Amino acid sequence: MNKTEPRTLAGFMELLPNEQILFNQMKETIEKTYQKFGFLPLDTPNIELSEVLLAKAGGETEKQIYRFTKGETDLSLRFDLTVPLSKYVAKNYGNLSFPFRRYQIGKVYRGEKTQKGRFREFYQCDIDIIGDGELETIHDAELPSIIYTIFKELGFDSFTICINNRKILNGLFESLGQKENAVEILRIIDKIDKIGKEAIIEELTKLKIKDTEIEKIISFIEIDGTSHEKIRELENLGIENEIYVKGVEELKQVIKNIELFGVPDSNFKVDLTIARGLDYYTGTVYETFLNDYRELGSVCSGGRYENLAEYYTDKKLPGVGISIGLTRLFYKLNELNLIKAKQKSISQVLIIPMIEDLEKPITLATQLRKLGIKTEVYLNNKKLKAKFKYADKLKIPYVIVIGEDEIATHTVNIKNMATGEEKKVKLSASEIIKEIK
Amino acid sequence: MNKTEPRTLAGFMELLPNEQILFNQMKETIEKTYQKFGFLPLDTPNIELSEVLLAKAGGETEKQIYRFTKGETDLSLRFDLTVPLSKYVAKNYGNLSFPFRRYQIGKVYRGEKTQKGRFREFYQCDIDIIGDGELETIHDAELPSIIYTIFKELGFDSFTICINNRKILNGLFESLGQKENAVEILRIIDKIDKIGKEAIIEELTKLKIKDTEIEKIISFIEIDGTSHEKIRELENLGIENEIYVKGVEELKQVIKNIELFGVPDSNFKVDLTIARGLDYYTGTVYETFLNDYRELGSVCSGGRYENLAEYYTDKKLPGVGISIGLTRLFYKLNELNLIKAKQKSISQVLIIPMIEDLEKPITLATQLRKLGIKTEVYLNNKKLKAKFKYADKLKIPYVIVIGEDEIATHTVNIKNMATGEEKKVKLSASEIIKEIK
């Protein structure tokens, strides 16, 4: 028979089992944390009508869409989880309770240029809190505590949640008479970490912004100090623009309340350069950095938006949300060997029978499973050495061999595969559990 | 602004939160059980090269594929999890340990005619055990114990795992000189439950099979009694065909070993009419029925195959696997109101603050979460009644109101939302946990 070469598309992650276990543990940590804060699960189709999915999209996004027809129907694969959420909330408005707190963890698709660490299919892990008509600012302070909990649970201590408020920037530009350039200016100053101050000035000059105004923008970006000091400086800049004042007040509230939510001072700060590329956000914005690995970029971002679903409904649905790009994050952390495994295997125990009659080994496995221990029986006919090699490769922590002797004496040796130690116990599930727990 | 009507494609399941919680619990029960038996997780892309994915496919399957081009590349969405597994094992052969036990739970796509209870995007929950060159028959007896554990965990008692062996049928047909009609005959007799004996005879007659042979086929299908009695009858039929004899021997072994694996007699039986439509299976085959809801069809099916990945590799990779079509199963069980919820909400506690200063409510929530209780604070500015209505609609079991009085007396009432009972305890996370656990 002619063979087809088995291969996986470039830009599509496919892991070996040991890595998949690590990936799933990260995913589970994120999901469990979202649940701990009372977010409801959501699962929307990967495919939507193009007309619905692309109601808003345009520019770069639209070019990357996986779009195709099936029969007569124009379909697209989702490119994020926000548009499906918008559709969902608009569609099910009458059946939802507000504030609607939902999490969604799922694959999204973007036909980006393939390069190392860039994926065309990747998991996003999103939460959003959607209000019906209004949503109190206090929610903006809750999300950093969720980011904090997740990265602590993932084993990190040194990370910073950077917080800003888009109204401050928008108000500033308005006060400088640069309102119509706001989106463009934001896009430029968002790049300060990447391209530096001189390049920023150069790009702003190209926009025909006066030198005096550029100076103000730069000195604004350069406001320094603790979060509280920065807020004081913002208040003391003497800008009376209404939007600016509101933004500073919101930021002050959020910073105050973050402390209430138990995030330590060392894990968040006001960062006035954070704008988020999208013109979607209208208030608080977040980016999160691993301090020792700034080169990874933001590992969790999001913010407050005025109106989730304006393309589908007249209802005003303000919200605040964050997103973790899990596939890329996993790839980078794995490359840097930074993933702390809670467990490296699925099975906790491998039982190796060395007898014809499998009753005892299989019964023991059934009992261990009933007591909550993930247990596997090696059932293929191989030499003992090969069976141990199997346990070793799968990183199964405990191995129990059952042969004639073990059955005659009603005892077994539990071998700890990490230390090589063996411990003799009674051939009984409850005795074995005591040793491996 | 012109609004786009927010809608979801027909044949694509999208649930409200309360139903999504139930769905996810079923999914988790299945996943946890697969893990309990030591299966390794796998996650393959939803998109594959058409050339790779369709190396084998043809006929009906190919017509249903979601196939499209992106740039110059001919792509398809996966229509099952078996072909991606074949590709994966062939591709990663050198990096896997055999027997390779993997589970995969993911969405697959088939552009079937949309009708009630039929889905174009649906979850499959698969496990397979793949051997390198050979795989002992004992594994065929392990899978029914996993099916048994899952359906028990899902709250069912009255279900039957029906077991047969394709070699028995193939050997029978060979002994009747009907080898070349085997696939077609199997297809026909597989339908006995749906169309009845007379229609089966009619269809067999159309194949120009002699009446005497049809009689033998029918009397074979009608073998009755307990599993052990059926096996005895099969042995006593006097058929000496080698394949037939091997099949009976395998079936006998599997039935004997299933008992070893702890599946009660009442939950499995030999059913000689089970053939599985596919010509893919070569030995043991399974179908599972809920006895009180036979109309649902098989809720978990699978079997033994000779060679997983012959389209990709020369390696011989025999395996045995089962699959649960979760989306359809959920839909049907939900419709029949048969899903037993372990919990109906995500949050276990809703804290309702009735004061300006949120320190105490938020601190309590943080403490409860640290102790493992999923806790939500209602932060929007609403009347108390609306806040309770929120808890009620989300089916959150416990509500704690914190106002001036509660803080002054350092006590709170925990309201059990199901019974309406209130219990006064100290305003302390550890005291509260005692009450709600």
Side-chain angles (χ1 to χ4, degrees):
Chain A
M1 189 187 295
N2 274 330
K3 307 291 174 190
T4 304
E5 191 202 337
R7 54 208 197 277
T8 301
L9 284 160
F12 287 68
M13 182 179 273
E14 193 175 71
L15 301 169
L16 286 169
N18 286 339
E19 290 174 318
Q20 189 70 54
I21 289 171
L22 296 182
F23 183 92
N24 288 8
Q25 277 175 35
M26 280 186 70
K27 183 147 75 78
E28 199 177 312
T29 297
I30 295 168
E31 180 163 16
K32 294 265 176 257
T33 306
Y34 288 166
Q35 290 182 351
K36 218 183 262 176
F37 284 79
F39 286 81
L40 298 171
L42 180 58
D43 187 4
T44 63
N46 286 20
I47 311 178
E48 301 270 6
L49 285 166
S50 298
E51 183 202 341
V52 172
L53 199 72
L54 307 178
K56 175 189 179 180
E60 271 311 300
T61 312
E62 193 141 0
K63 267 186 260 164
Q64 297 178 348
I65 306 285
Y66 282 84
R67 184 173 181 169
F68 55 93
T69 53
K70 175 81 181 162
E72 307 278 278
T73 321
D74 181 359
L75 303 171
S76 293
L77 298 184
R78 65 186 181 198
F79 54 91
D80 71 5
L81 301 177
T82 305
V83 176
L85 172 67
S86 313
K87 179 211 74 176
Y88 182 87
V89 176
K91 180 168 177 283
N92 297 299
Y93 174 81
N95 290 311
L96 300 176
S97 299
F98 293 91
F100 177 53
R101 299 160 73 89
R102 88 85 178 77
Y103 75 85
Q104 183 166 7
I105 297 176
K107 288 175 171 179
V108 304
Y109 296 84
R110 292 187 200 167
E112 297 195 72
K113 274 221 174 93
T114 49
Q115 47 175 301
K116 207 165 156 284
R118 281 270 175 202
F119 294 93
R120 294 179 161 191
E121 175 186 70
F122 56 97
Y123 277 93
Q124 283 195 331
C125 309
D126 283 20
I127 47 174
D128 287 87
I129 308 174
I130 312 295
D132 182 12
E134 55 179 356
L135 185 75
E136 312 283 322
T137 313
I138 180 97
H139 294 96
D140 300 19
E142 192 184 8
L143 294 196
S145 71
I146 300 168
I147 301 176
Y148 170 74
T149 308
I150 286 173
F151 284 91
K152 285 294 278 187
E153 289 279 329
L154 291 176
F156 294 96
D157 288 309
S158 181
F159 58 89
T160 307
I161 305 163
C162 296
I163 301 167
N164 194 11
N165 191 300
R166 282 292 296 265
K167 290 194 183 74
I168 298 174
L169 295 159
N170 290 338
L172 171 73
F173 301 143
E174 200 175 88
S175 77
L176 297 173
Q178 294 293 343
K179 200 177 162 185
E180 60 291 348
N181 278 329
V183 171
E184 200 44 39
I185 299 176
L186 284 172
R187 246 185 259 276
I188 293 168
I189 65 174
D190 201 20
K191 297 188 284 184
I192 186 141
D193 277 346
K194 285 186 206 142
I195 63 176
K197 186 168 127 186
E198 293 313 313
I200 295 284
I201 292 173
E202 201 174 304
E203 291 205 27
L204 290 175
T205 311
K206 276 188 208 149
L207 284 184
K208 294 184 183 144
I209 299 174
K210 275 183 250 164
D211 285 359
T212 51
E213 282 162 8
I214 292 179
E215 250 171 66
K216 276 189 197 163
I217 294 170
I218 296 294
S219 63
F220 167 85
I221 299 174
E222 288 185 330
I223 288 178
D224 209 4
T226 67
S227 296
H228 293 287
E229 283 164 2
K230 282 179 186 165
I231 289 168
R232 223 168 304 131
E233 281 199 56
L234 289 170
E235 286 176 326
N236 294 338
L237 272 187
I239 298 171
E240 282 170 16
N241 174 284
E242 202 184 328
I243 296 170
Y244 177 87
V245 171
K246 191 150 187 272
V248 175
E249 181 51 34
E250 283 180 11
L251 185 60
K252 198 174 166 182
Q253 282 298 320
V254 169
I255 292 301
K256 186 185 133 212
N257 287 325
I258 284 176
E259 289 169 12
L260 264 190
F261 277 101
V263 182
D265 242 25
S266 54
N267 289 109
F268 72 93
K269 70 169 187 194
V270 166
D271 182 339
L272 299 171
T273 66
I274 300 292
R276 306 291 308 138
L278 296 154
D279 46 357
Y280 174 62
Y281 295 109
T282 53
T284 308
V285 283
Y286 320 98
E287 291 192 347
T288 310
F289 298 93
L290 303 179
N291 297 330
D292 302 326
Y293 307 94
R294 282 287 302 201
E295 70 273 19
L296 267 60
S298 174
V299 294
C300 178
S301 311
R304 160 74 76 146
Y305 40 88
E306 213 54 57
N307 208 347
L308 175 73
E310 59 181 336
Y311 292 86
Y312 306 120
T313 174
D314 284 325
K315 302 266 178 236
K316 200 187 160 211
L317 300 164
V320 60
I322 52 171
S323 180
I324 298 175
L326 178 59
T327 301
R328 184 168 175 280
L329 179 62
F330 171 84
Y331 177 84
K332 291 285 182 186
L333 294 181
N334 195 36
E335 206 178 37
L336 293 164
N337 214 3
L338 287 178
I339 298 174
K340 294 178 183 73
K342 284 174 196 148
Q343 49 175 95
K344 291 180 173 175
S345 64
I346 295 292
S347 291
Q348 295 159 280
V349 173
L350 181 73
I351 296 174
I352 298 181
M354 296 300 287
I355 36 173
E356 280 277 305
D357 179 358
L358 294 169
E359 192 193 329
K360 281 277 185 309
I362 290 175
T363 306
L364 177 63
T366 306
Q367 287 165 347
L368 285 171
R369 286 181 197 122
K370 279 195 183 141
L371 295 168
I373 303 294
K374 299 184 195 98
T375 308
E376 188 176 338
V377 187
Y378 194 100
L379 293 168
N380 237 25
N381 196 8
K382 293 267 172 184
K383 296 231 170 84
L384 186 59
K385 202 178 151 193
K387 293 178 180 178
F388 268 102
K389 199 177 158 201
Y390 174 86
D392 201 48
K393 278 187 79 176
L394 263 61
K395 301 181 200 286
I396 301 174
Y398 296 100
V399 171
I400 298 171
V401 176
I402 299 183
E404 303 291 355
D405 280 2
E406 284 76 9
I407 290 174
T409 61
H410 203 69
T411 56
V412 290
N413 285 319
I414 305 175
K415 181 163 185 179
N416 180 324
M417 293 293 285
T419 63
E421 279 176 287
E422 298 202 15
K423 175 98 189 187
K424 190 171 287 237
V425 299
K426 265 201 207 153
L427 203 176
S428 134
S430 54
E431 292 300 311
I432 290 167
I433 278 191
K434 278 185 209 156
E435 280 310 313
I436 64 179
K437 269 221 163 148
Chain B
M1 189 187 292
N2 275 331
K3 307 293 174 190
T4 305
E5 192 203 335
R7 54 208 198 277
T8 301
L9 286 160
F12 287 69
M13 183 179 274
E14 192 174 72
L15 300 168
L16 285 170
N18 286 339
E19 289 173 318
Q20 189 70 54
I21 289 171
L22 296 182
F23 183 93
N24 288 7
Q25 276 175 34
M26 281 185 69
K27 184 149 72 80
E28 199 177 310
T29 297
I30 295 168
E31 179 163 15
K32 294 265 176 255
T33 307
Y34 287 166
Q35 290 183 351
K36 217 182 264 176
F37 284 80
F39 287 81
L40 298 170
L42 180 57
D43 186 4
T44 63
N46 286 19
I47 310 178
E48 301 270 5
L49 284 167
S50 297
E51 182 200 341
V52 172
L53 199 72
L54 307 178
K56 175 190 179 181
E60 272 311 299
T61 312
E62 193 141 2
K63 267 186 261 163
Q64 296 179 348
I65 305 286
Y66 282 84
R67 183 173 181 170
F68 55 92
T69 53
K70 174 83 181 161
E72 308 278 279
T73 321
D74 181 358
L75 304 171
S76 292
L77 298 183
R78 64 187 182 197
F79 55 91
D80 71 5
L81 300 177
T82 305
V83 177
L85 172 68
S86 314
K87 178 211 74 175
Y88 182 87
V89 176
K91 180 170 178 280
N92 298 299
Y93 173 81
N95 291 309
L96 300 176
S97 299
F98 293 92
F100 177 53
R101 299 160 74 88
R102 88 84 177 80
Y103 76 86
Q104 183 166 9
I105 297 177
K107 288 174 171 181
V108 304
Y109 297 83
R110 291 186 200 167
E112 296 196 70
K113 273 221 175 91
T114 49
Q115 47 176 300
K116 209 164 155 284
R118 281 269 176 204
F119 295 93
R120 294 180 162 190
E121 175 186 71
F122 56 96
Y123 277 92
Q124 282 196 332
C125 309
D126 282 20
I127 47 175
D128 287 88
I129 307 174
I130 313 295
D132 182 12
E134 57 180 354
L135 184 76
E136 312 285 320
T137 314
I138 179 98
H139 294 95
D140 299 19
E142 192 184 9
L143 294 197
S145 70
I146 299 169
I147 302 175
Y148 170 73
T149 308
I150 286 173
F151 284 91
K152 285 295 278 186
E153 289 279 331
L154 291 176
F156 293 95
D157 288 310
S158 181
F159 57 89
T160 307
I161 304 163
C162 296
I163 300 166
N164 194 10
N165 190 302
R166 283 291 297 266
K167 291 194 182 74
I168 297 174
L169 295 158
N170 291 337
L172 171 74
F173 302 144
E174 200 175 271
S175 78
L176 296 173
Q178 293 294 341
K179 199 177 163 187
E180 59 292 348
N181 278 328
V183 171
E184 199 45 37
I185 298 175
L186 284 171
R187 248 185 256 278
I188 294 168
I189 65 174
D190 200 21
K191 297 189 282 183
I192 186 140
D193 277 346
K194 286 187 203 138
I195 63 176
K197 186 168 128 184
E198 293 313 315
I200 295 284
I201 292 173
E202 202 174 302
E203 291 205 28
L204 291 175
T205 311
K206 276 188 207 148
L207 283 184
K208 295 184 181 145
I209 299 174
K210 277 183 247 161
D211 285 358
T212 51
E213 283 163 8
I214 292 180
E215 248 170 67
K216 276 190 196 161
I217 293 171
I218 295 294
S219 64
F220 167 84
I221 299 176
E222 288 183 331
I223 289 178
D224 209 4
T226 66
S227 296
H228 294 286
E229 283 163 4
K230 283 179 185 165
I231 289 169
R232 222 168 304 132
E233 282 200 54
L234 289 169
E235 288 176 326
N236 294 338
L237 271 186
I239 298 172
E240 282 170 16
N241 175 284
E242 201 184 327
I243 296 171
Y244 176 88
V245 172
K246 189 148 189 272
V248 174
E249 182 50 35
E250 283 180 10
L251 185 61
K252 197 173 165 182
Q253 281 299 321
V254 169
I255 292 301
K256 185 185 134 213
N257 288 325
I258 285 177
E259 289 168 12
L260 263 191
F261 278 101
V263 182
D265 241 25
S266 54
N267 289 109
F268 72 91
K269 69 168 188 199
V270 166
D271 182 340
L272 299 172
T273 67
I274 301 291
R276 307 288 311 139
L278 296 154
D279 46 355
Y280 175 62
Y281 295 109
T282 51
T284 308
V285 283
Y286 320 99
E287 291 193 347
T288 311
F289 298 93
L290 303 178
N291 297 331
D292 302 325
Y293 308 94
R294 282 286 303 200
E295 69 274 19
L296 267 59
S298 174
V299 293
C300 178
S301 311
R304 161 74 76 148
Y305 40 88
E306 214 54 57
N307 209 346
L308 175 74
E310 59 180 336
Y311 291 87
Y312 306 120
T313 176
D314 284 325
K315 302 266 179 235
K316 199 184 160 212
L317 300 164
V320 61
I322 53 170
S323 180
I324 298 176
L326 179 57
T327 301
R328 185 168 175 279
L329 179 61
F330 170 83
Y331 177 84
K332 291 285 183 187
L333 294 181
N334 195 35
E335 204 178 40
L336 293 165
N337 213 3
L338 286 178
I339 298 174
K340 295 183 183 71
K342 283 175 196 147
Q343 49 174 93
K344 292 179 173 176
S345 63
I346 296 292
S347 291
Q348 294 159 281
V349 174
L350 180 72
I351 296 174
I352 298 181
M354 296 301 285
I355 36 172
E356 280 277 304
D357 179 359
L358 294 169
E359 192 194 328
K360 281 277 185 311
I362 289 174
T363 307
L364 177 63
T366 305
Q367 287 165 347
L368 285 171
R369 285 182 198 122
K370 279 193 182 143
L371 295 168
I373 303 294
K374 297 184 196 101
T375 308
E376 188 177 338
V377 188
Y378 193 99
L379 293 168
N380 238 24
N381 195 8
K382 292 267 173 184
K383 295 230 170 86
L384 186 60
K385 205 179 147 189
K387 293 178 179 178
F388 268 100
K389 201 179 155 197
Y390 175 87
D392 202 48
K393 278 188 79 176
L394 262 63
K395 301 182 201 285
I396 301 174
Y398 296 99
V399 172
I400 298 171
V401 176
I402 299 184
E404 303 291 355
D405 280 3
E406 282 77 9
I407 289 174
T409 61
H410 202 70
T411 56
V412 290
N413 283 318
I414 305 174
K415 182 165 183 175
N416 181 322
M417 294 294 284
T419 64
E421 279 177 288
E422 299 202 13
K423 175 98 188 185
K424 190 172 285 238
V425 301
K426 267 202 206 153
L427 203 177
S428 133
S430 54
E431 291 299 311
I432 289 166
I433 277 192
K434 278 184 209 158
E435 281 310 313
I436 64 180
K437 268 219 162 148

mmCIF file of all heavy atoms in Angstrom, chain B residues 118-131:
data_model
loop_
_atom_site.group_PDB
_atom_site.id
_atom_site.type_symbol
_atom_site.label_atom_id
_atom_site.label_comp_id
_atom_site.label_asym_id
_atom_site.label_seq_id
_atom_site.Cartn_x
_atom_site.Cartn_y
_atom_site.Cartn_z
ATOM 1 N N ARG B 118 -29.176 15.786 15.975
ATOM 2 C CA ARG B 118 -28.004 15.507 15.129
ATOM 3 C C ARG B 118 -27.113 16.740 15.128
ATOM 4 O O ARG B 118 -27.600 17.850 14.947
ATOM 5 C CB ARG B 118 -28.441 15.244 13.685
ATOM 6 C CG ARG B 118 -28.972 13.858 13.476
ATOM 7 C CD ARG B 118 -27.841 12.943 13.056
ATOM 8 N NE ARG B 118 -28.331 11.578 12.952
ATOM 9 C CZ ARG B 118 -27.552 10.517 13.056
ATOM 10 N NH1 ARG B 118 -26.248 10.657 13.270
ATOM 11 N NH2 ARG B 118 -28.041 9.319 12.961
ATOM 12 N N PHE B 119 -25.841 16.570 15.305
ATOM 13 C CA PHE B 119 -24.959 17.728 15.380
ATOM 14 C C PHE B 119 -23.846 17.665 14.335
ATOM 15 O O PHE B 119 -23.390 16.585 13.966
ATOM 16 C CB PHE B 119 -24.381 17.845 16.790
ATOM 17 C CG PHE B 119 -25.454 18.126 17.809
ATOM 18 C CD1 PHE B 119 -26.079 17.093 18.500
ATOM 19 C CD2 PHE B 119 -25.883 19.427 18.022
ATOM 20 C CE1 PHE B 119 -27.107 17.355 19.399
ATOM 21 C CE2 PHE B 119 -26.901 19.699 18.918
ATOM 22 C CZ PHE B 119 -27.515 18.651 19.611
ATOM 23 N N ARG B 120 -23.476 18.846 13.861
ATOM 24 C CA ARG B 120 -22.381 18.952 12.884
ATOM 25 C C ARG B 120 -21.051 19.173 13.571
ATOM 26 O O ARG B 120 -20.001 18.921 13.000
ATOM 27 C CB ARG B 120 -22.681 20.113 11.926
ATOM 28 C CG ARG B 120 -23.891 19.827 11.079
ATOM 29 C CD ARG B 120 -24.182 20.973 10.146
ATOM 30 N NE ARG B 120 -25.057 20.492 9.086
ATOM 31 C CZ ARG B 120 -25.356 21.178 8.004
ATOM 32 N NH1 ARG B 120 -24.853 22.382 7.822
ATOM 33 N NH2 ARG B 120 -26.144 20.665 7.094
ATOM 34 N N GLU B 121 -21.125 19.717 14.772
ATOM 35 C CA GLU B 121 -19.935 19.842 15.618
ATOM 36 C C GLU B 121 -20.273 19.100 16.895
ATOM 37 O O GLU B 121 -21.276 19.425 17.538
ATOM 38 C CB GLU B 121 -19.653 21.321 15.916
ATOM 39 C CG GLU B 121 -18.496 21.539 16.881
ATOM 40 C CD GLU B 121 -18.314 23.013 17.285
ATOM 41 O OE1 GLU B 121 -19.164 23.545 18.034
ATOM 42 O OE2 GLU B 121 -17.332 23.626 16.854
ATOM 43 N N PHE B 122 -19.485 18.106 17.246
ATOM 44 C CA PHE B 122 -19.811 17.369 18.465
ATOM 45 C C PHE B 122 -18.561 16.805 19.116
ATOM 46 O O PHE B 122 -17.542 16.574 18.464
ATOM 47 C CB PHE B 122 -20.829 16.255 18.180
ATOM 48 C CG PHE B 122 -20.433 15.283 17.118
ATOM 49 C CD1 PHE B 122 -19.839 14.067 17.442
ATOM 50 C CD2 PHE B 122 -20.658 15.571 15.779
ATOM 51 C CE1 PHE B 122 -19.473 13.156 16.459
ATOM 52 C CE2 PHE B 122 -20.290 14.666 14.785
ATOM 53 C CZ PHE B 122 -19.699 13.461 15.124
ATOM 54 N N TYR B 123 -18.669 16.623 20.426
ATOM 55 C CA TYR B 123 -17.561 16.080 21.185
ATOM 56 C C TYR B 123 -17.526 14.572 21.059
ATOM 57 O O TYR B 123 -18.553 13.907 21.235
ATOM 58 C CB TYR B 123 -17.705 16.409 22.670
ATOM 59 C CG TYR B 123 -17.213 17.780 23.042
ATOM 60 C CD1 TYR B 123 -18.075 18.865 23.055
ATOM 61 C CD2 TYR B 123 -15.886 17.994 23.378
ATOM 62 C CE1 TYR B 123 -17.624 20.139 23.412
ATOM 63 C CE2 TYR B 123 -15.417 19.255 23.725
ATOM 64 C CZ TYR B 123 -16.297 20.318 23.738
ATOM 65 O OH TYR B 123 -15.846 21.564 24.082
ATOM 66 N N GLN B 124 -16.344 14.047 20.797
ATOM 67 C CA GLN B 124 -16.119 12.622 20.974
ATOM 68 C C GLN B 124 -15.163 12.450 22.147
ATOM 69 O O GLN B 124 -14.275 13.278 22.359
ATOM 70 C CB GLN B 124 -15.520 12.009 19.703
ATOM 71 C CG GLN B 124 -16.572 11.782 18.635
ATOM 72 C CD GLN B 124 -16.107 10.856 17.539
ATOM 73 O OE1 GLN B 124 -14.919 10.759 17.257
ATOM 74 N NE2 GLN B 124 -17.046 10.167 16.908
ATOM 75 N N CYS B 125 -15.389 11.395 22.908
ATOM 76 C CA CYS B 125 -14.529 11.080 24.054
ATOM 77 C C CYS B 125 -13.998 9.677 23.810
ATOM 78 O O CYS B 125 -14.724 8.714 23.988
ATOM 79 C CB CYS B 125 -15.333 11.108 25.353
ATOM 80 S SG CYS B 125 -16.293 12.618 25.567
ATOM 81 N N ASP B 126 -12.760 9.604 23.392
ATOM 82 C CA ASP B 126 -12.194 8.331 22.927
ATOM 83 C C ASP B 126 -11.077 7.833 23.840
ATOM 84 O O ASP B 126 -10.306 8.632 24.361
ATOM 85 C CB ASP B 126 -11.562 8.517 21.536
ATOM 86 C CG ASP B 126 -12.596 8.556 20.423
ATOM 87 O OD1 ASP B 126 -13.769 8.820 20.721
ATOM 88 O OD2 ASP B 126 -12.205 8.339 19.254
ATOM 89 N N ILE B 127 -11.019 6.526 23.999
ATOM 90 C CA ILE B 127 -9.770 5.934 24.473
ATOM 91 C C ILE B 127 -9.369 4.813 23.527
ATOM 92 O O ILE B 127 -10.223 4.148 22.929
ATOM 93 C CB ILE B 127 -9.835 5.347 25.906
ATOM 94 C CG1 ILE B 127 -11.074 4.477 26.097
ATOM 95 C CG2 ILE B 127 -9.736 6.418 26.952
ATOM 96 C CD1 ILE B 127 -11.089 3.804 27.458
ATOM 97 N N ASP B 128 -8.082 4.631 23.402
ATOM 98 C CA ASP B 128 -7.540 3.521 22.627
ATOM 99 C C ASP B 128 -6.291 3.006 23.327
ATOM 100 O O ASP B 128 -5.580 3.770 23.978
ATOM 101 C CB ASP B 128 -7.181 3.968 21.199
ATOM 102 C CG ASP B 128 -8.412 4.205 20.354
ATOM 103 O OD1 ASP B 128 -8.938 5.344 20.372
ATOM 104 O OD2 ASP B 128 -8.873 3.263 19.696
ATOM 105 N N ILE B 129 -6.079 1.698 23.186
ATOM 106 C CA ILE B 129 -4.829 1.094 23.646
ATOM 107 C C ILE B 129 -4.167 0.514 22.403
ATOM 108 O O ILE B 129 -4.762 -0.333 21.728
ATOM 109 C CB ILE B 129 -5.082 -0.038 24.668
ATOM 110 C CG1 ILE B 129 -5.967 0.467 25.822
ATOM 111 C CG2 ILE B 129 -3.760 -0.594 25.199
ATOM 112 C CD1 ILE B 129 -6.384 -0.626 26.795
ATOM 113 N N ILE B 130 -2.979 1.015 22.091
ATOM 114 C CA ILE B 130 -2.309 0.613 20.855
ATOM 115 C C ILE B 130 -1.082 -0.217 21.201
ATOM 116 O O ILE B 130 -0.253 0.204 22.007
ATOM 117 C CB ILE B 130 -1.836 1.847 20.058
ATOM 118 C CG1 ILE B 130 -2.940 2.901 19.944
ATOM 119 C CG2 ILE B 130 -1.315 1.437 18.684
ATOM 120 C CD1 ILE B 130 -4.133 2.471 19.168
ATOM 121 N N GLY B 131 -0.982 -1.375 20.588
ATOM 122 C CA GLY B 131 0.183 -2.224 20.800
ATOM 123 C C GLY B 131 1.217 -2.037 19.695
ATOM 124 O O GLY B 131 0.879 -1.591 18.602
#
